[in-house]
Amino acid sequence: MTSPVEYSEDIERRVDRLLAEMTLAQKVGQIIQADIDYVTPDDVRRYHLGSVLNGGSSAPGDKPYAPAGEWLALADAFYDASVEAAGDDEPIPVIWGSDAVHGHANVTGATVFPHNIGLGAMRNPDLMREIGRVTALEMRVTGIGWTFAPTLAVARDDRWGRTYESYSENTDLVSEYARAMLEGLQGEIGDESFLWGSNVLATAKHFVADGGTAGGRDQGDARISEEEIVRVHVTPYVAAIETGAQVVMASFSSWQGEKVHGSRDLLTTALKERMGFNGFIVGDWNAHGQIPGCTTGSCPAAINAGLDMFMAPDNWRELHENTLRQVEAGEIPIERLDDAVHRILRVKMLAGVFDAGRPSSWPAAGNTGLLASPEHRAIARQAVRESLVLLKNGGNVLPLDPGATVLVAGDGADNLAKQTGGWTLTWQGSNVPREDYVNAESIYEGIAAKVGAAGGRVEYRPDGRFERRPDVAIVVFGEDPYAEYQGDRSHVAFVEDKGEHRSIMRRLRAESVPVVAVFLSGRPMWVNPEINAADAFVAAWLPGSEGGGVADVLFGEHEFTGRLSFSWPRSGSQVVNVGDPDYDPLFAYGYGLSTSEPGEIPQLPEDSSLADLGSDADRTLFTNGMFRKPWALTIGDASGRRADATLAAAESGSIQARVVDGRAQEDSRRLVWSGAASAAVSRPDAVDWTHESDAALAIEIDWRVAAVPSAAVTLSMRCGAGCAAGIDVTDALRAASAGPFVRTAIPLQCFAERGVDMARVDSGFVLETEGRLDVTIVSVALGSSPEGRIAC
């Protein structure tokens, strides 16, 4: 197999000439990509860096997202620095990569398309090309010419937190969409504007089998045969290379115990030699640091395995220094370095980077009228309509009459974070005020516009308690936003709301109000009780910024055409894929009703097959960078002021909290005291930990301390007004100072013996001190591990 992309003799000669003129430091600079939160234009000039990126929460300015003009100004600054660095030599412009995975969604006002799981349900490759074209054009407006998309994962276990980034469990559909999206983003091979003009450089990711890991664990291990990895997971990359892919991103994950970033068999032998890939391979966020023997600042094994460009967001200086030394020492052969740089320069030339000039001089640059233009929004709205899958339509309640009196309920109806999901303005898609969702329409707003135009009446009551009796109720609910490992689950049963929306729907139906459920999720889930509680049930996935597309279909302006691209689970523990020997889902791959056919389904069993659905949420307070609902973090000082620090950075007098990298990207909270203050993980409803206390479980905290605390530190639990007790953890924190994360485990019985009523715990973790303290916490949960246990 060979790539159909051919490089002209002129490009090859030009690259060879550049390589001959470059210093070793310049070559090393080309293979390093730094994040814009950790690198300046002056750094690009000084270190001759070949690339920068913005991570999911990196942007110009103080926020994790920014308007188009700020992106363009920074793109110019990086470009100028890179060409100035050349002096009298030929300049090598920097390239900027961005995760435009469902539209250019880090930019306020851009079009946000449905996530890939919804696009898979469309079965419309022509529309996929249009989505790619629109995304590319909106990227060019901001001066960015490289996207880390499309994701070609074939997700085979829906517990994986990145399932929604996959088009399907079916490799054939993923392969078909790979071709369509690459053509939309890059143009077609042979076109004059292939990779440039109004097109961008795309990235096929994450090679390979990121969707095939055991247990659906993000960054985990695909323990599958060579036959299966080729048949299921490699096939979409063949399609991508045949369509002109020039960048492939290596996966965080492993295959049969070996990290992909360190696998020469996969990166060089398979991808470059057997598959004929002639572009360059870029790493993922510090993933090279997971290779045995490597750190984020030193990893010759990755380059020697075939990686061409490190994604080294924060530790790039140390990596540059060590890589330079390793080449000089022969640890990285100069031939391997030259090959990597050759590949990068060749792609830059083919993509027009050398000749396009400053980003602000590009044809579409600065034309903010293109962002979410009427044409672009219409394409996104069509995608929403075609992605909706009708699972049930009892009594043919759908389509609805727009002239009716309509009640809209549920916490997802007017919630653009739930509607758009992760990778929208921020990495996790959370903590964004409504006013920053520019050019976006919530599902409720779309319904209100549709009904209002027809002379109907809409009442919005999230709790479903109406003032005027409605003709029908639309209840919108589902998963809260997440990204990557923070969305990993131990099961696929929907338990986040503890039955709240099920109760709303049951109450409405008991009052003879027909109920339409609209379910927002990044994966198919076991929702049998919710399906039973509704007359009609719609899987809406994560539809993006055009909530009006949902109303178009609910009210019959367009028919339901979406078909499941993932099998729907029969139980909360089922892992099921089309083609399995004992294939027995609740709704099969390809299922989807229209309103013109019978929509009744039998009453579904409501036993999830899981022993205790509530225990995980009750016992896990903080993990993978997220506080498990209903647990939330607040901070406050002696003045009584408190601030919510659950989702992002916060400050309250003498205490600060912020999101930091611990063991993985943004998986930890750093708490810094400058005086008397406290940090509390609490919940509005008390939890009963009597059984857990009797079973000798402990509150387990994995943490590390930047400096020895200057005063005594107490860890307390609270159980309502006047009910609290604490344990001195000063010595434990001193033992956790200036080293790796360590575990401290305090038996619940210690708190019970001091007077905590374990039947009504409402604050499971309260850390207090009157001195200085700097602690980073990576997890807080109940457990039975003997590690780190301290005596009462």
Side-chain angles (χ1 to χ4, degrees):
M1 177 179 173
T2 58
S3 169
V5 177
E6 297 180 354
Y7 290 95
S8 67
E9 291 183 5
D10 180 62
I11 286 179
E12 295 287 5
R13 283 195 298 269
R14 194 174 174 187
V15 170
D16 288 342
R17 186 179 70 251
L18 271 173
L19 271 173
E21 296 171 351
M22 293 171 71
T23 66
L24 192 57
Q26 289 172 328
K27 291 178 180 179
V28 170
Q30 283 298 306
I31 69 169
I32 291 178
Q33 182 182 63
D35 185 87
I36 62 171
D37 270 1
Y38 302 94
V39 69
T40 66
D42 188 60
D43 291 329
V44 169
R45 179 185 298 106
R46 180 180 176 187
Y47 290 91
H48 305 278
L49 298 182
S51 180
V52 297
L53 81 146
N54 62 284
S57 292
S58 302
D62 297 329
K63 288 185 176 182
Y65 48 90
E70 294 183 23
W71 294 93
L72 184 57
L74 188 57
D76 271 351
F78 279 123
Y79 174 88
D80 291 345
S82 66
V83 298
E84 289 166 8
D88 295 330
D89 298 327
E90 181 175 2
I92 304 176
V94 69
I95 51 174
W96 182 337
S98 185
D99 283 288
V101 294
H102 66 139
H104 197 19
N106 269 113
V107 177
T108 52
T111 308
V112 180
F113 294 97
H115 269 296
N116 288 353
I117 191 169
L119 300 181
M122 299 188 315
R123 305 295 207 281
N124 189 340
D126 291 335
L127 188 56
M128 289 297 298
R129 288 185 188 86
E130 286 299 289
I131 291 169
R133 179 186 65 82
V134 168
T135 300
L137 185 57
E138 294 197 5
M139 290 186 73
R140 287 289 183 178
V141 170
T142 65
I144 299 174
W146 177 15
T147 177
F148 301 137
T151 300
L152 303 185
V154 183
R156 305 288 285 181
D157 189 325
D158 301 338
R159 293 173 292 182
W160 186 34
R162 305 191 77 157
T163 297
Y164 67 77
E165 295 186 57
S166 172
Y167 298 119
S168 178
E169 68 191 36
N170 185 333
T171 191
D172 293 335
L173 179 55
V174 176
S175 299
E176 181 181 30
Y177 269 24
R179 297 179 189 277
M181 183 55 88
L182 276 159
E183 288 175 353
L185 289 167
Q186 297 193 151
E188 296 188 35
I189 300 170
D191 288 350
E192 185 177 346
S193 60
F194 178 62
L195 303 182
W196 62 324
S198 61
N199 298 312
V200 295
L201 186 63
T203 307
K205 69 178 189 182
H206 309 83
F207 188 84
V208 60
D210 51 342
T213 60
R217 185 175 178 83
D218 192 45
Q219 305 181 20
D221 186 17
R223 302 165 192 162
I224 57 179
S225 68
E226 182 174 351
E227 183 277 332
E228 183 175 347
I229 198 173
V230 171
R231 173 175 51 84
V232 176
H233 300 284
V234 170
T235 301
Y237 291 91
V238 174
I241 292 169
E242 290 176 346
T243 313
Q246 285 295 282
V247 183
V248 169
M249 183 180 291
S251 178
F252 262 112
S253 59
S254 305
W255 179 44
Q256 297 182 349
E258 182 182 29
K259 282 292 179 183
V260 172
H261 274 67
S263 174
R264 192 178 192 284
D265 287 343
L266 289 175
L267 299 184
T268 298
T269 305
L271 182 57
K272 291 180 176 178
E273 295 175 358
R274 293 181 187 170
M275 298 170 67
F277 176 63
N278 60 355
F280 70 84
I281 302 172
V282 65
D284 207 340
W285 185 280
N286 273 335
H288 56 276
Q290 296 184 2
I291 299 172
C294 287
T295 67
T296 59
S298 176
C299 194
I303 295 297
N304 288 339
L307 191 75
D308 299 307
M309 181 182 287
F310 288 111
M311 186 183 287
D314 51 353
N315 205 16
W316 59 267
R317 285 184 182 85
E318 182 182 348
L319 184 65
H320 186 282
E321 178 183 345
N322 284 327
T323 303
L324 187 61
R325 177 180 52 78
Q326 287 153 1
V327 176
E328 290 173 336
E331 196 172 352
I332 298 174
I334 187 63
E335 294 81 8
R336 173 75 272 271
L337 176 65
D338 283 349
D339 175 63
V341 177
H342 188 106
R343 287 171 174 269
I344 293 165
L345 295 181
R346 199 164 57 178
V347 171
K348 284 186 176 185
M349 288 184 185
L350 188 66
V353 174
F354 278 77
D355 304 313
R358 300 182 86 213
S360 59
S361 71
W362 299 350
N367 186 356
T368 56
L370 291 172
L371 298 180
S373 68
E375 178 203 359
H376 294 180
R377 295 190 70 173
I379 291 169
R381 190 161 176 150
Q382 179 185 350
V384 174
R385 292 195 298 263
E386 296 187 15
S387 70
L388 304 178
V389 180
L390 181 60
L391 300 182
K392 175 184 178 181
N393 191 23
N396 292 109
V397 65
L398 292 172
L400 303 177
D401 176 8
T405 296
V406 179
L407 171 68
V408 180
D411 69 358
D414 198 29
N415 187 328
L416 280 158
K418 289 178 84 88
Q419 179 178 317
T420 56
W423 296 107
T424 309
L425 296 180
T426 67
W427 178 40
Q428 294 297 316
S430 55
N431 202 39
V432 179
R434 174 62 181 90
E435 61 267 21
D436 287 346
Y437 288 100
V438 181
N439 299 325
E441 181 178 54
S442 73
I443 293 172
Y444 161 67
E445 290 166 344
I447 292 169
K450 185 76 65 180
V451 173
R457 182 180 182 276
V458 172
E459 182 179 355
Y460 174 49
R461 296 282 176 173
D463 63 2
R465 298 189 181 278
F466 53 83
E467 293 184 355
R468 176 175 168 181
R469 180 179 180 81
D471 298 314
V472 67
I474 301 171
V475 183
V476 188
F477 63 100
E479 290 189 287
D480 287 325
Y482 54 83
E484 299 191 37
Y485 56 84
Q486 298 197 15
D488 284 358
R489 302 173 63 100
S490 60
H491 58 76
V492 292
F494 177 68
V495 296
E496 282 81 343
D497 69 347
K498 295 186 177 293
E500 175 188 352
H501 294 90
R502 178 194 324 162
S503 297
I504 292 172
M505 293 188 288
R506 286 173 176 167
R507 186 180 70 243
L508 289 166
R509 289 185 78 190
E511 298 179 52
S512 300
V513 177
V515 173
V516 177
V518 177
F519 185 57
L520 302 172
S521 71
R523 63 192 113 209
M525 303 190 76
W526 183 83
V527 284
N528 285 15
E530 287 75 17
I531 294 175
N532 286 339
D535 293 282
F537 196 96
V538 178
W541 314 112
L542 302 170
S545 58
E546 296 305 314
V550 176
D552 290 345
V553 182
L554 293 182
F555 290 95
E557 187 175 318
H558 293 267
E559 180 58 273
F560 284 92
T561 58
R563 300 293 180 265
L564 292 178
S565 61
F566 286 85
S567 305
W568 199 275
R570 183 171 292 278
S571 72
S573 59
Q574 186 181 38
V575 177
V576 59
N577 294 289
V578 64
D580 288 350
D582 300 316
Y583 184 64
D584 185 32
L586 180 62
F587 300 114
Y589 175 88
Y591 175 89
L593 300 171
S594 70
T595 60
S596 62
E597 58 188 306
E600 300 282 356
I601 63 172
Q603 183 80 0
L604 300 173
E606 297 193 2
D607 178 5
S608 71
S609 83
L610 299 173
D612 184 358
L613 289 176
S615 63
D616 185 55
D618 288 342
R619 294 177 180 177
T620 302
L621 287 68
F622 176 68
T623 186
N624 289 338
M626 299 182 74
F627 292 90
R628 292 284 184 88
K629 279 189 172 183
W631 297 105
L633 173 65
T634 60
I635 57 174
D637 63 6
S639 70
R641 293 175 297 177
R642 299 205 69 80
D644 186 350
T646 305
L647 297 175
E651 181 174 357
S652 182
S654 53
I655 185 171
Q656 297 177 335
R658 61 190 179 96
V659 179
V660 296
D661 294 353
R663 292 174 175 149
Q665 183 182 357
E666 296 189 15
D667 68 339
S668 302
R669 286 296 190 281
R670 184 177 182 183
L671 304 171
V672 180
W673 280 256
S674 59
S678 67
V681 182
S682 308
R683 54 190 289 157
D685 60 325
V687 62
D688 185 351
W689 278 346
T690 306
H691 172 75
E692 286 80 359
S693 179
D694 292 343
L697 295 189
I699 184 80
E700 298 177 346
I701 309 103
D702 288 0
W703 52 8
R704 67 183 176 203
V705 180
V708 174
S710 66
V713 184
T714 302
L715 178 63
S716 303
M717 285 188 183
R718 296 174 181 164
C719 43
C723 179
I727 308 290
D728 189 302
V729 292
T730 312
D731 289 342
L733 284 166
R734 285 173 176 155
S737 296
F741 284 100
V742 300
R743 173 165 295 173
T744 299
I746 305 173
L748 296 182
Q749 292 171 348
C750 296
F751 298 97
E753 290 169 0
R754 285 163 171 77
V756 173
D757 183 351
M758 302 309 296
R760 55 188 186 99
V761 175
D762 57 12
S763 293
F765 173 95
V766 183
L767 197 64
E768 300 173 281
T769 185
E770 294 186 353
R772 293 182 301 278
L773 176 62
D774 186 341
V775 60
T776 297
I777 301 172
V778 72
S779 69
V780 181
L782 302 191
S784 57
S785 169
E787 180 185 354
R789 286 219 169 195
I790 63 176
C792 297

